[in-house]
Amino acid sequence: MRFVEEIVVDEFLPTFRSMLAEDLRDRGFTQSEVAEALGISQSAVSKYAHGDVTRRQEFVDDGRVQELVARVGEGLAAGTMRPVQALVEAEVVIRQLERGDLLAAMHREQMPELAEYGAEFAIHDPDSDLRSAERVLSSLRRGLRVLENTSGFAGLIPNVGSNLVACTPDATTIDDVAGVPGRIVDVKGRATIPAEPEFGVSEYVASVLLAAREAGSEVNAAANIRYDPALVAALEEQGYVTAEFESEGDVATGVAAALDETPDATVLYQTGEVGIEPICYVLGDDPVAVAETIRELT
C-alpha cells in the first residue's frame, strides 16, 4: 500500500527543492541563505548543488512546476513572499497534480488497484481563504516597497499618517482588509513603515475602501495622502476621475453619495472641517497600482 503523499515526499519534494535551490543560487543566494529560505540544512543544499539528489524528470519538465519555482524564487528573493505563502503555493500545485493529473498517474502506476476508481479528490481548494489572504499581503508588501522607495512620498503624508490597504476578493468587514499597523509616518523627511502589514488593523482607510466597493466601485486597494487642490488637479490632468465627499457624518454614506454622482471616480477627497483634517484617498485595482499613482505625484 502506497499513499500519493509518499510520492509527494519521496519524489516531488526532492525535485522541487532541488529546482528551487538552483533558482535561488542563480539569483545570488549563498548556500546558507538558500538553506534558511527553504528551511533545510546546508548539507542538503550542498547535495542539491552537486546533483546528489535524484530529480523526477516528469516534474522537471512540467510547466506548472517550472512556473511555481520561478514565482516562489522571485518572491523569496524580492522579499515579497513569506515562506508560508511559498508553502501554500506549492500545496496548491501539488493538489492540482493529484487530481487526475501527473501525481495521480504515478500513483495509479504504483498502485494498479486504483485504476478502477475514477473519482478525483479535491483535498485543497486552490481558491482557499488562506491563499487569498497571502496573495493580498504579498501584493501589499510590493505596494509598500514602491511607496518606501518613492522620493518625496513623505511630503504627501498627512498629519494623521498614511496607510496603504488591500482587501480579499469577497471583503465585507475591516477584518478582510490588510494594512500597516500604526500607519505610515513621516520621520525626518522619510516615510517610515512601522510594521509588517496585517489584516484588521486599518479603520478609516479600510472603511473608505469598503464603502467604495459597497457603492459598486470595482477596487481592491486604497491609500490616503494629504489633500491639496493642486494634487487633485494633477491627478485629474493624469486622467483620474475625482469626487469630493462629505467630511462629517457616516463615511459609507458620504462615499456612496459621491460615487452615486461620479461612479467612475478613483480619487475621493474631503476638504475637512473643524477638527477634521482634509484627506485625499486614491483607489485602485491593487496596492501596486495605487502606489504607482501616488508616485506620479512626486
Side-chain angles (χ1 to χ4, degrees):
M1 181 171 61
R2 183 167 171 79
F3 292 96
V4 68
E5 286 82 1
E6 294 180 78
I7 302 175
V8 172
V9 171
D10 296 340
E11 301 185 49
F12 176 86
L13 287 182
T15 301
F16 172 64
R17 283 174 173 158
S18 176
M19 293 171 69
L20 185 53
E22 181 180 36
D23 180 275
L24 291 175
R25 289 302 299 270
D26 290 343
R27 295 178 190 274
F29 274 44
T30 65
Q31 186 167 297
S32 62
E33 288 172 338
V34 172
E36 182 179 357
L38 300 187
I40 57 178
S41 66
Q42 290 193 45
S43 61
V45 176
S46 178
K47 290 180 180 179
Y48 292 144
H50 292 88
D52 295 332
V53 175
T54 301
R55 294 184 178 185
R56 186 74 184 246
Q57 196 61 39
E58 293 95 322
F59 297 130
V60 174
D61 295 339
D62 192 279
R64 292 159 298 184
V65 178
Q66 294 170 359
E67 195 273 337
L68 171 67
V69 169
R71 186 169 70 253
V72 171
E74 180 181 2
L76 292 176
T80 58
M81 181 180 290
R82 296 190 301 168
V84 66
Q85 187 191 358
L87 173 64
V88 172
E89 294 293 329
E91 281 278 355
V92 169
V93 171
I94 289 171
R95 302 315 161 193
Q96 289 174 340
L97 296 178
E98 281 182 352
R99 290 194 296 269
D101 210 305
L102 185 55
L103 276 169
M106 292 179 179
H107 198 203
R108 285 194 299 271
E109 180 181 317
Q110 297 181 33
M111 290 291 297
E113 298 87 346
L114 292 173
E116 61 183 284
Y117 300 99
E120 295 180 4
F121 300 94
I123 301 173
H124 292 277
D125 181 4
D127 296 319
S128 67
D129 291 342
L130 175 60
R131 192 185 192 200
S132 294
E134 284 298 325
R135 282 180 162 176
V136 169
L137 290 171
S138 178
S139 180
L140 190 51
R141 290 189 195 95
R142 291 196 297 271
L144 289 169
R145 181 162 297 182
V146 171
L147 292 181
E148 195 173 24
N149 294 326
T150 296
S151 176
F153 170 59
L156 298 178
I157 298 176
N159 293 329
V160 296
S162 288
N163 213 331
L164 176 64
V165 305
C167 65
T168 56
D170 301 320
T172 57
T173 71
I174 289 175
D175 288 337
D176 300 321
V177 183
V180 177
R183 295 197 172 191
I184 307 167
V185 294
D186 176 3
V187 178
K188 297 181 179 180
R190 182 177 180 81
T192 301
I193 300 171
E196 282 286 295
E198 300 176 17
F199 280 90
V201 297
S202 172
E203 184 175 348
Y204 207 83
V205 183
S207 297
V208 171
L209 175 59
L210 291 171
R213 288 169 56 87
E214 181 67 23
S217 183
E218 296 181 356
V219 292
N220 301 297
N224 68 314
I225 57 176
R226 66 179 176 83
Y227 167 75
D228 186 317
L231 290 176
V232 174
L235 288 165
E236 290 174 344
E237 289 178 4
Q238 293 171 17
Y240 297 97
V241 179
T242 68
E244 181 179 357
F245 71 98
E246 293 293 332
S247 302
E248 295 183 337
D250 180 62
V251 172
T253 301
V255 170
L259 289 175
D260 183 57
E261 185 174 337
T262 314
D264 295 331
T266 55
V267 175
L268 304 176
Y269 63 92
Q270 53 185 32
T271 56
E273 300 286 345
V274 177
I276 300 177
E277 184 180 7
I279 299 288
C280 184
Y281 298 88
V282 179
L283 311 177
D285 293 334
D286 57 67
V288 175
V290 170
E292 292 288 357
T293 297
I294 292 173
R295 183 162 66 178
E296 293 173 2
L297 294 171
T298 62

